[in-house]
Amino acid sequence: MRDVLVIGGNRYFGKRLIDRLIAAGDRVTVLNRGSASPPAGAIHLVADRDDEAALNSALGDRTFDVVVDQVCYTPRQAAIARRVFGGGRTRRYVLTSTIEVYEYEDSLVYEDIVVPVREDAVDPRDVPVDLQLPWHKAEFLDTHYGEGKRQAEAVFAAGSPTADGGTEFTYTAVRVAHVLGGADDFTGRLDHYAQRIRTGAPIAVPTENRPATYIHVEEIADFLFWTVGEDFAGPVNAASHGLLTTEELCAAVALHIPDGRTVFQNVDVGQISPFSFARSYGMDNSRATELGFTFGHVQEWLPRAVAETLGAAGGQGE
């Protein structure tokens, strides 16, 4: 039996991860601010992960085989975690990161050829960390999400020594592709398209609209569960095989709205629709594949993902 701590992540694929861990017979502890109870069978600890003293108090003398951190968004939060979980409190730390760490890396090497980025395109050991930025402000964090994750990875990669000179844990950063699927998708991004297709309203996309990589909500839960049982370190991309364009995504949505109309509007400035990108967001998943994980293909699960999220009513009233 493994002792696994999950920080946050008590909905969407985090909830599915917890269910998988419990089903496997692991002793699972969920730590959050108390806004939601974890699934039956999990131990519940309440603390604000930004409050180092409260976090230490809630954890007491507990130790864990693995920590899965679903809600580390800033280098400040990573620095607290480094101090709290160093010194032997865990042997492995899994940080849920994001495809958006590649926000500044160009994955287009030729004009019309998309080359997915590998993990070494962003080496967290080379990312500068600035703890003085206003990471505590929601509006700043919202507009610096990818940078916050980059710097959080950098803090873990630096491996700062613990105060008591204890042994550091092994860490991995799972860079998650854009997630689709599930009736509990709370983002509203597919519904954005459903509403516009239903009414024929324009769908704003960049003039040069680039494809991206995606992963199904069940697949990323499987991937994180698999990662808990592995011992590799460093960043790893988690994405289904294949790229998906906005047009392909809208075509899948339109199948649920037979009387709808898909109208794209190219824009060079201003707000664009979710899942439309002026630069390519393609990730190379070969490292995870070579380590032993088997991904599906986005075109195989896309119809199911859209059906799950929009439901029989095609997204009406959601």
Side-chain angles (χ1 to χ4, degrees):
M1 176 188 292
R2 298 173 299 194
D3 273 300
V4 182
L5 172 67
V6 179
I7 303 177
N10 200 31
R11 61 178 177 174
Y12 208 33
F13 61 83
K15 176 179 65 178
R16 290 166 170 81
L17 167 63
I18 294 168
D19 287 341
R20 283 161 170 74
L21 292 168
I22 292 173
D26 295 318
R27 181 162 42 233
V28 181
T29 301
V30 176
L31 186 146
N32 59 28
R33 290 178 296 182
S35 57
S37 298
I43 301 165
H44 190 196
L45 300 179
V46 177
D48 183 344
R49 60 102 29 86
D50 293 322
D51 185 332
E52 187 169 346
L55 187 55
N56 270 313
S57 177
L59 291 169
D61 60 356
R62 294 176 176 86
T63 60
F64 305 95
D65 296 304
V66 185
V67 174
V68 182
D69 194 341
Q70 296 277 69
V71 290
C72 183
Y73 302 117
T74 74
R76 289 183 186 176
Q77 292 174 331
I80 289 173
R82 259 287 178 210
R83 292 190 293 269
V84 170
F85 292 98
R89 197 188 286 275
T90 187
R91 63 172 181 79
R92 181 162 171 74
Y93 205 97
V94 178
L95 170 68
T96 301
S97 190
T98 174
I99 189 174
E100 292 184 40
V101 300
Y102 299 116
E103 184 177 1
Y104 307 112
E105 274 58 45
D106 189 1
S107 58
L108 297 175
V109 294
Y110 299 108
E111 184 176 351
D112 296 316
I113 300 177
V114 177
V115 178
V117 290
R118 297 177 61 90
E119 289 84 357
D120 58 8
V122 175
D123 186 338
R125 295 170 297 181
D126 298 331
V127 173
V129 173
D130 188 347
L131 297 175
Q132 303 308 312
L133 291 173
W135 296 112
H136 61 288
K137 295 184 178 180
E139 62 274 16
F140 179 84
L141 185 56
D142 185 57
T143 56
H144 293 78
Y145 176 71
E147 183 60 24
K149 287 289 192 179
R150 284 163 66 104
Q151 293 195 27
E153 285 192 29
V155 170
F156 285 109
S160 303
T162 59
D164 60 1
T167 303
E168 280 292 338
F169 47 72
T170 299
Y171 100 99
T172 186
V174 178
R175 294 172 176 171
V176 182
H178 305 291
V179 182
L180 292 174
D184 55 339
D185 181 354
F186 61 92
T187 65
R189 290 176 293 193
L190 282 187
D191 191 55
H192 168 92
Y193 289 112
Q195 298 292 355
R196 279 157 179 74
I197 292 171
R198 185 176 300 108
T199 61
I203 297 170
V205 297
T207 301
E208 294 293 333
N209 192 22
R210 303 297 186 181
T213 43
Y214 293 81
I215 193 166
H216 191 273
V217 63
E218 300 291 347
E219 188 169 44
I220 186 55
D222 287 339
F223 186 88
L224 289 168
F225 175 75
W226 170 78
T227 301
V228 166
E230 299 296 309
D231 58 5
F232 62 86
V236 61
N237 291 338
S240 298
H241 298 302
L243 296 168
L244 185 64
T245 66
T246 310
E247 291 79 6
E248 290 171 314
L249 181 60
C250 286
V253 172
L255 291 176
H256 294 261
I257 310 170
D259 297 327
R261 189 163 59 98
T262 305
V263 180
F264 293 107
Q265 179 182 39
N266 293 330
V267 297
D268 292 318
V269 294
Q271 188 171 6
I272 58 176
S273 298
F275 299 140
S276 60
F277 308 100
R279 59 169 304 280
S280 176
Y281 272 95
M283 290 200 300
D284 184 314
N285 64 13
S286 59
R287 184 187 187 212
T289 300
E290 291 164 2
L291 286 168
F293 189 83
T294 301
F295 291 101
H297 196 286
V298 63
Q299 295 290 354
E300 294 175 351
W301 57 252
L302 177 61
R304 172 167 59 97
V306 173
E308 290 167 351
T309 302
L310 298 184
Q316 295 185 65
E318 295 186 354

